[in-house]
Amino acid sequence: MTEKDFIPKAYPAAVEHGEVTWQSPSNIALVKYWGKLDNQIPANPSISFTLDSCRTTTKLKFQKKQKSAADFDFRLLFEGEEKDAFRPKILKFMQRVEPYLPFLKDYEFTIETSNSFPHSSGIASSASGMSALALCLMSLERQLNPEMDEEYFTRKSSFLARLGSGSACRSIEGELVVWGMHNNIYRSSDLYGVPFRDEVHDNFRNYRDTILLVDKGEKQVSSTLGHDLMNDHPYAETRFRQAHDNLDKLKKIFRSGDLSEFIKVVESEALTLHAMMMTSQPYFLLMKPNTLAIINKVFRFREETGLHLCFTLDAGANVHLLFPEKEAQETLEFIESELKQYCQNGQYINDRVGSGAKKLA
Ligand code: PMV
C-alpha cells in the first residue's frame, strides 16, 4: 500500500452524529526506532511487544456542522478535565491527517481520554493516546464508508497513528509488531506497523514487562528533538544498519526460543539508544543513578539464578524489565524485594504482552 491508497474517494454514507470508544495499549520496542525522515518515515525498522494493561481509553463524540468551517473544531478532556496543554499536539495531528480524512472540518468533536497508568508517571502516553484517537477517527470513516474492509481499517489506523507519533503505529495490533521496511520481514512498511507473522516460540508467549518508575519528571528531550539528533550523527549509518541486523537476529531467536540470545539483542538495543543520545550534539544523559543501580542488579540476578530477566529502556530513566512467564514468580519476588527501592515512591507496573487495541461497546 502507498500513501495514495489512504486518500479516500467520495463517501457513500452520511453520518450526522455519534460516538465511539477505543482502548489502545502502549508498546515497548525491542529494536528501537531512533531517527526519522520527513513525514514520520523511520530511518530504520523497529519491532515491539504490544503491552496489555498500560492503555489509553478515548471516546470520540462527533456532531456534523451546518457547514464545513475553515478550522478544526474540537474539545479535549483528559481524565474528565479540559486540557489545553494537549491541544497543540492534537491540532498538529489533525493537520497532518486531514488529507487522508477529508471530513475532519465537517464535524465538531469532543475527545475524552484517560490513561490506565498513573498520570505523569514518565510512561509515554503518545503511543497509546495517538493510536486510540486514530482508531476512533477510523471508526467514523468506516461509518461514512461501510464497505471498508478490516485490513484497510487496521492498516490505515496504524498509518494515521504514525503521523501522530511514530511508535504509535505499533500499538494497533499485537503481540509483536514491526514498523519500517526490512528485506526479510514479509509486508513490512515504512508507512504502518504490521504484525510479525513468523514462527514465535512458546517461550515468548505471555512475556512479562514490569515497568520500574525511576523518574517521573518531564522528559529532558522530546522525541522530536531526539530523532533530529540522528540527522548529522557521526554513528547514524552504522546504527541504522545494526537495527536491520538485529531484526534478522530476533527473527531467528523468536523461532528458536533462545532467551540468552534474546537478552543480548534487547539490552544492546537499549544501551545503543542511550549511546546515540550521549554521542549526539547536543548530548543527553537520560539514565539516572537508580537506572544504573537497577541494571547492575539485573546482571547480578541473572548470574546468580540463571534466570532470563533483562532490561530495556526508552528515551528516559525508567526501566522496562522483560522476563518469561514461567520465571515470573521468582522474578517478581526479586523485583519487590530488591528493585522496588529504586523506584519513585516504590512505584512499578506489572504488564505483559497483549493482543492490541479494542473497541468498547
Ligand atoms: O514515537 P516517538 O517519536 O515518541 O519515538 C519513540 C522512540 C523510542 O521510544 C525511544 C523507541 C521506540 O521505538 O519506541
Side-chain angles (χ1 to χ4, degrees):
M1 280 182 176
T2 69
E3 268 138 357
K4 286 209 183 89
D5 295 316
F6 296 121
I7 299 176
K9 304 197 179 71
Y11 293 119
V15 177
E16 280 306 312
H17 60 86
E19 63 175 58
V20 58
T21 306
W22 277 89
Q23 215 173 53
S24 191
S26 186
N27 68 74
I28 180 67
L30 305 171
V31 171
K32 307 288 178 181
Y33 151 58
W34 198 241
K36 64 178 169 188
L37 316 174
D38 284 346
N39 289 327
Q40 307 270 96
I41 296 298
N44 66 263
S46 57
I47 186 166
S48 50
F49 274 140
T50 304
L51 296 183
D52 187 45
S53 48
C54 288
R55 286 174 169 267
T56 296
T57 304
T58 298
K59 179 187 279 186
L60 181 74
K61 295 180 180 162
F62 42 91
Q63 171 72 52
K64 186 134 194 220
K65 293 191 256 184
Q66 301 290 23
K67 57 180 194 308
S68 181
D71 269 326
F72 300 104
D73 196 341
F74 66 94
R75 277 183 73 205
L76 185 65
L77 300 173
F78 179 69
E79 278 159 15
E81 284 175 29
E82 211 95 28
K83 192 83 179 177
D84 284 344
F86 293 172
R87 283 188 70 86
K89 212 169 172 183
I90 303 293
L91 188 59
K92 197 164 167 200
F93 173 68
M94 295 225 174
Q95 286 160 350
R96 277 198 193 149
V97 299
E98 197 198 5
Y100 310 100
L101 300 174
F103 58 81
L104 284 182
K105 285 181 179 156
D106 301 343
Y107 288 87
E108 254 169 54
F109 294 106
T110 303
I111 304 164
E112 296 176 13
T113 185
S114 61
N115 293 335
S116 65
F117 41 87
H119 179 44
S120 67
S121 57
I123 298 188
S125 57
S126 60
S128 52
M130 285 299 173
S131 52
L133 181 56
L135 284 158
C136 288
L137 291 169
M138 280 308 293
S139 284
L140 170 53
E141 181 168 70
R142 180 140 65 181
Q143 290 183 31
L144 293 163
N145 177 16
E147 308 273 85
M148 184 186 297
D149 67 38
E150 202 52 41
E151 159 102 8
Y152 182 87
F153 179 90
T154 308
R155 292 292 156 263
K156 186 165 171 181
S157 299
S158 174
F159 171 86
L160 298 174
R162 181 194 107 241
L163 293 171
S165 168
S167 59
C169 77
R170 299 187 312 236
S171 276
I172 306 288
E173 293 172 279
E175 302 179 340
L176 280 161
V177 177
V178 177
W179 167 42
M181 262 299 287
H182 185 281
N183 281 340
N184 302 322
I185 293 182
Y186 182 59
R187 295 177 84 179
S188 55
S189 168
D190 284 343
L191 299 180
Y192 44 77
V194 294
F196 179 76
R197 294 263 183 239
D198 256 49
E199 201 181 320
V200 178
H201 193 280
D202 276 351
N203 280 351
F204 297 103
R205 296 270 163 244
N206 244 332
Y207 223 71
R208 301 296 188 104
D209 179 9
T210 292
I211 307 158
L212 305 184
L213 305 176
V214 171
D215 182 31
K216 306 200 291 176
E218 282 288 305
K219 276 199 190 175
Q220 278 178 45
V221 49
S222 72
S223 40
T224 310
L225 176 71
H227 291 292
D228 282 352
L229 294 173
M230 290 305 280
N231 286 340
D232 49 7
H233 194 292
Y235 307 136
E237 282 316 311
T238 317
R239 158 62 197 151
F240 299 147
R241 230 176 307 126
Q242 179 197 42
H244 285 262
D245 294 346
N246 279 342
L247 258 161
D248 276 323
K249 286 186 187 162
L250 277 185
K251 208 177 141 177
K252 283 204 195 98
I253 292 166
F254 285 133
R255 189 170 303 163
S256 69
D258 189 332
L259 293 175
S260 304
E261 289 301 308
F262 177 76
I263 291 171
K264 282 188 207 161
V265 174
V266 168
E267 292 190 343
S268 161
E269 274 289 322
L271 294 178
T272 301
L273 170 70
H274 281 255
M276 290 300 113
M277 287 184 254
M278 287 190 228
T279 49
S280 52
Q281 215 38 275
Y283 38 82
F284 293 93
L285 185 49
L286 301 184
M287 286 187 267
K288 300 277 183 203
N290 282 354
T291 312
L292 292 173
I294 291 164
I295 291 175
N296 280 312
K297 284 222 165 177
V298 168
F299 291 158
R300 203 166 331 133
F301 176 74
R302 264 207 316 263
E303 252 171 54
E304 286 169 2
T305 62
L307 297 179
H308 299 93
L309 171 63
C310 77
F311 70 87
T312 187
L313 308 163
D314 272 341
N318 293 336
V319 182
H320 287 248
L321 294 175
L322 301 176
F323 49 99
E325 160 99 303
K326 63 177 177 225
E327 298 176 7
Q329 196 187 333
E330 263 178 284
T331 308
L332 288 168
E333 276 165 25
F334 165 71
I335 293 169
E336 178 65 25
S337 65
E338 298 286 328
L339 300 183
K340 184 181 173 164
Q341 55 182 300
Y342 300 110
C343 302
Q344 266 193 10
N345 309 321
Q347 266 190 303
Y348 63 88
I349 299 171
N350 287 324
D351 207 342
R352 66 176 73 218
V353 170
S355 57
K358 291 183 182 69
K359 189 175 178 203
L360 302 188

